[in-house]
Amino acid sequence: MIQKKETLLEIHDLSVSFRMYDHGLEQTDLKVISDLHLTVYPGEIVAIAGSSGSGKSLLASAILGILPGNATVYGHISYKGQQLSAERQRQLRGTKIALVPQSVAYLDPLLKVGQQADGHKKPYPTEKRRSLFKRFGLPDKTEQLYPYQLSGGMARRVLVSTALITDSELIIADEPTPGMSLNQALEALKMFREMANEGKAVILITHDIDLAFEFADRVAVFYAGTTVETAPASDFKKGPNALRHPYSKALWRALPQNGFHSIEGFQPYAGNLPKGCLFAPRCPYKTSKCEEGIPPVTEVRGGEVRCYHVT
C-alpha cells in the first residue's frame, strides 16, 4: 500500500443529474450520482466495483468532462490540488488523463488501427505501439486493419494500447478486459501495474473483481450512485470480517468462489431512491436512524465507509 501523499485526483460530494422529459413537455432532474467521494494518489491502482447502474462509467465521464449536454454536475473535482474546470478538462483530456473506453465503438471506423493508436503526437510512437501490440498478442498485420476487421477482444486490446502509449499521469480504464482471454487480461493489468509502479495512477472500473484484488491497491465499492466503502484490496482477500459496509460483505459473498450467495431486493433506480442510506432497504442492520439521512464518510480501520453501524 502506498504512503499518503499529495493527491492526484480528489472528488468530494459529487452529484450528477440529467434533465429529462417526464410527462409531455414537463421536465425533471434525474439524479444518478449522489454525494460521491473518491481520492486517487500517484503510484496506485484504485479499482471501482459495484453492480451495473451504480455510476461507475458516469464517474469516468464526469472526470473527463464528456457528459452529454443535459447533464448537470455538482460538487468538487480537483486534479493536483486545482479545481478541474471545463477548460482544464479539455487541456488534460487525452494528454495527462487518458481513457480506455468501455465501448469499442470509440474506434474510428474510417482509420486503420495503427494510425489511430499512434495518435496525433509527433514524432509518432510507432515502435512503442508495435511493442505494446506484441505484448498483447496482436499480429503484425493488425496495424493495417480497420476496426470492423477486429474481433471484440482484439479491439479492446487496441483500446488499452492507445491509453498506455500516452504520457498520461492518470489512466481511467473502463471495463478494459471483457472479450480478452485470461492471459491477455492478466497482461493488460500487469501493464497497468507497471505504470502505477512508475508513479502514475490508474482508476480501474471492472466487473472482474477477482483480478482487481490481485493488482489494485485499494477498492472503492459503489452502490446506487455513491461510494459506500473504500478499502485496501488486501481486505477483500481476507474476507467479509475485514470489510466495513454490509454491501461490501454481500458483494464478497456473491462471488462464485465464496458461495454465490445473493441478498434479497435490488439496487434502487435513479429517480426512486430511498430516503437516508441507499442500502437501508436491503440491510439486515437497518434502524430508524438509517432512514433519516445518508451516513457521512468516516474512517474506520484504514478505510472509509458510509454506515451508522460499522465497528
Side-chain angles (χ1 to χ4, degrees):
M1 182 65 182
I2 62 167
Q3 295 182 347
K4 297 292 184 181
K5 51 186 173 181
E6 183 179 352
T7 61
L8 182 66
L9 181 74
E10 194 165 357
I11 300 171
H12 290 296
D13 303 314
L14 179 69
S15 296
V16 177
S17 298
F18 290 94
R19 176 54 62 100
M20 311 286 288
Y21 283 99
D22 192 2
H23 301 290
L25 297 178
E26 183 179 344
Q27 292 185 329
T28 184
D29 288 322
L30 184 67
K31 183 178 285 189
V32 292
I33 288 180
S34 307
D35 303 316
L36 189 146
H37 289 244
L38 185 69
T39 302
V40 181
Y41 296 92
E44 72 168 347
I45 297 177
V46 177
I48 298 180
S51 60
S52 298
S54 59
K56 302 186 298 294
S57 296
L58 280 175
L59 172 63
S61 297
I63 294 170
L64 290 160
I66 56 174
L67 289 167
N70 65 328
T72 303
V73 179
Y74 302 95
H76 175 82
I77 306 178
S78 66
Y79 185 82
K80 287 189 169 181
Q82 297 183 23
Q83 182 71 20
L84 199 55
S85 63
E87 177 59 31
R88 196 150 184 258
Q89 285 172 322
R90 283 191 290 270
Q91 294 172 354
L92 296 173
R93 191 166 57 229
T95 56
K96 295 302 181 183
I97 304 178
L99 173 68
V100 180
Q102 182 176 154
S103 173
V104 297
Y106 274 76
L107 290 171
D108 189 330
L110 301 180
L111 289 179
K112 291 182 178 179
V113 165
Q115 184 180 353
Q116 293 189 62
D118 284 345
H120 302 288
K121 185 177 179 180
K122 295 182 179 180
Y124 295 126
T126 303
E127 292 307 315
K128 182 178 180 180
R129 184 256 300 157
R130 286 174 177 168
S131 176
L132 287 170
F133 277 17
K134 186 175 182 179
R135 284 191 66 174
F136 276 131
L138 291 167
D140 293 341
K141 66 177 183 178
T142 303
E143 64 181 26
Q144 296 298 324
L145 300 179
Y146 289 93
Y148 78 90
Q149 296 174 297
L150 304 177
S151 68
M154 292 175 69
R156 288 198 179 277
R157 282 177 275 164
V158 169
L159 285 170
V160 173
S161 299
T162 61
L164 296 177
I165 208 170
T166 68
D167 295 323
S168 299
E169 300 167 328
L170 173 64
I171 297 92
I172 304 173
D174 189 0
E175 297 288 357
T177 56
M180 295 186 187
S181 68
L182 177 59
N183 287 337
Q184 292 162 357
L186 289 172
E187 188 64 31
L189 294 174
K190 189 183 299 181
M191 284 192 273
F192 288 137
R193 183 70 262 171
E194 290 172 3
M195 298 185 77
N197 292 342
E198 293 170 359
K200 299 180 179 182
V202 179
I203 296 176
L204 177 63
I205 300 170
T206 182
H207 281 100
D208 292 333
I209 302 177
D210 291 345
L211 293 181
F213 295 162
E214 298 299 324
F215 289 90
D217 297 283
R218 293 186 295 136
V219 177
V221 180
F222 283 19
Y223 184 80
T226 196
T227 319
V228 295
E229 178 172 356
T230 304
S234 57
D235 287 357
F236 285 84
K237 296 180 183 180
K238 296 174 184 175
N241 290 335
L243 302 174
R244 297 148 191 81
H245 197 278
Y247 177 66
S248 302
K249 298 173 187 283
L251 197 63
W252 187 91
R253 293 189 179 99
L255 295 175
Q257 69 272 27
N258 299 328
F260 226 151
H261 299 294
S262 61
I263 58 175
E264 293 184 2
F266 51 87
Q267 179 176 262
Y269 295 105
N272 191 31
L273 299 178
K275 293 182 179 179
C277 175
L278 301 180
F279 187 65
R282 307 175 70 187
C283 183
Y285 308 107
K286 181 184 72 173
T287 64
S288 58
K289 184 177 181 180
C290 301
E291 299 176 337
E292 294 174 359
I294 296 178
V297 177
T298 55
E299 294 189 9
V300 178
R301 291 186 278 110
E304 295 179 336
V305 63
R306 285 183 180 274
C307 184
Y308 289 120
H309 307 294
V310 68
T311 57

